[in-house]
Amino acid sequence: MAFTLRQLQYFVAVAEQGSVTRAAQNLSISQSSITEAIKELETDLGVELFDRHPRGLSITHNGHQFLRHATKILADVSDARRSFADSREERGGRLNLGVTSLVAGYVLSDLLARYRRACPGVEVSAIEDNGSYLEHLLIGGELDVAVMVISNLRDRMALQAEILETSPYRLWLPIGHPLVAADIISVEDIAKEPLIMLTVDEIEENTGKLLTALGARPHVAFRTRSVEAVRSLVATGAGIALLPDLVYRPWSLEGDRIESRDVSGALPVVQVGMVWRKGSSLPQSARDFVGIAEALRSARPR
């Protein structure tokens, strides 16, 4: 039996809300309908998308991987509907867009491609910089919208944020590393290893805070702003890395394999979202961008 769009919609809702109860409330349907749809989806895929426990459920690694596909499928369907719903292609205008480094390579490309297809008459001007500077430009009215890591958004009083994607931290390991075969990996295990540290979008700050809060002092072997350098260094055994699953790919540029594993404990997640100035009257070009981004995140049942 092939899965249905409705099953995908329910799955995405639960993954985003982290709860069947909240997803059911948002969708105005019964919890049993969502539970049954997810069970059927798991049966069709042959994998578990969520771990069930007395306190509720948590998304599995397979679930995170499938979430990307599900949101893309739903967004594609929404794009198809939009192509017949209006005539945005005849609109002009300008979109002043900001983006942080990590987001530029892993979130923005697909979103911007969809926007250009939907609004070809709009001139897009994009700037890449760190989060604090983009916040400054947003508050000053020099940017319409920014797509950025919002976990550490500084000026929440002046800025409105909407989550597009959440990504948990996972451990990257080279093939043959002893921790690859470990049933449980603790933070103490990580503290004993040389760490390859990514220094973009507050990742270094977040990782350091995480390990310090859990009582571990990291041994940083290498700091870099390049995700590809992290992959190559990990794959060749120079160290391990603790990074958001958003940027994980199983191969380095040299073709060496990289393993990804969960770490026991309450690890934080990285939130990627859209940000704009509170109270500002967004131009139509920016409103269209926000709408397309929301569709990419999730297409809700009609």
Side-chain angles (χ1 to χ4, degrees):
M1 179 181 67
F3 55 73
T4 66
L5 290 178
R6 191 166 296 273
Q7 288 171 348
L8 296 185
Q9 291 160 351
Y10 292 174
F11 162 67
V12 170
V14 173
E16 290 181 346
Q17 296 296 322
S19 162
V20 172
T21 301
R22 288 195 294 271
Q25 290 171 346
N26 284 352
L27 297 173
S28 299
I29 59 173
S30 67
Q31 294 185 39
S32 60
S33 296
I34 290 183
T35 300
E36 184 63 27
I38 290 176
K39 285 182 179 178
E40 291 175 352
L41 183 58
E42 289 179 321
T43 299
D44 179 51
L45 296 173
V47 298
E48 289 190 354
L49 301 174
F50 295 98
D51 286 327
R52 280 79 172 174
H53 45 76
R55 293 172 296 174
L57 49 77
S58 57
I59 194 166
T60 63
H61 180 55
N62 284 330
H64 275 291
Q65 299 284 22
F66 185 66
L67 181 59
R68 297 175 183 172
H69 297 293
T71 53
K72 184 177 187 301
I73 291 169
L74 294 174
D76 285 340
V77 171
S78 181
D79 280 353
R81 288 181 174 139
R82 284 170 177 270
S83 67
F84 297 103
D86 57 35
S87 57
R88 268 193 305 274
E89 66 277 3
E90 296 178 359
R91 293 180 185 165
R94 180 183 176 90
L95 175 67
N96 295 306
L97 181 67
V99 60
T100 48
S101 300
L102 195 67
V103 172
Y106 296 91
V107 177
L108 185 66
S109 56
D110 187 28
L111 175 55
L112 198 55
R114 291 173 185 274
Y115 180 74
R116 290 186 186 279
R117 288 198 300 270
C119 307
V122 174
E123 179 185 353
V124 178
S125 174
I127 179 175
E128 177 186 317
D129 216 304
N130 62 63
S132 59
Y133 185 62
L134 293 184
E135 288 188 39
H136 167 74
L137 294 180
L138 286 165
I139 294 170
E142 297 178 63
L143 292 178
D144 299 316
V145 184
V147 183
M148 56 192 289
V149 173
I150 63 173
S151 312
N152 292 337
L153 198 65
R154 290 167 173 81
D155 201 338
R156 294 183 181 272
M157 295 295 292
L159 297 171
Q160 178 73 38
E162 183 170 329
I163 298 173
L164 290 177
E165 184 171 345
T166 59
S167 181
Y169 277 84
R170 286 173 62 85
L171 183 65
W172 294 11
L173 299 162
I175 287 291
H177 193 284
L179 291 178
V180 171
D183 293 330
I184 299 176
I185 301 174
S186 68
V187 176
E188 290 75 18
D189 295 324
I190 297 174
K192 301 172 186 176
E193 300 287 337
L195 190 66
I196 309 300
M197 185 77 78
L198 185 66
T199 60
V200 299
D201 284 9
E202 297 89 34
I203 296 298
E204 180 176 16
E205 178 185 351
N206 290 348
T207 305
K209 284 181 179 178
L210 165 65
L211 295 175
T212 300
L214 296 174
R217 179 175 297 177
H219 164 46
V220 180
F222 198 91
R223 287 182 171 88
T224 176
R225 293 183 57 82
S226 167
V227 178
E228 292 299 344
V230 174
R231 290 198 187 100
S232 295
L233 289 165
V234 170
T236 54
I240 63 174
L242 191 62
L243 289 173
D245 197 43
L246 169 71
V247 299
Y248 172 71
R249 301 293 183 271
W251 305 98
S252 71
L253 286 177
E254 296 79 15
D256 297 313
R257 177 81 182 182
I258 302 162
E259 296 289 341
S260 175
R261 294 290 184 272
D262 289 318
V263 178
S264 63
L267 300 187
V269 297
V270 166
Q271 294 177 329
V272 174
M274 294 178 294
V275 184
W276 59 92
R277 187 178 61 180
K278 280 184 179 178
S280 65
S281 178
L282 289 177
Q284 185 62 51
S285 59
R287 292 200 297 272
D288 286 341
F289 182 84
V290 170
I292 290 169
E294 290 172 341
L296 182 60
R297 179 191 65 184
S298 169
R300 299 299 187 193
R302 295 180 178 268

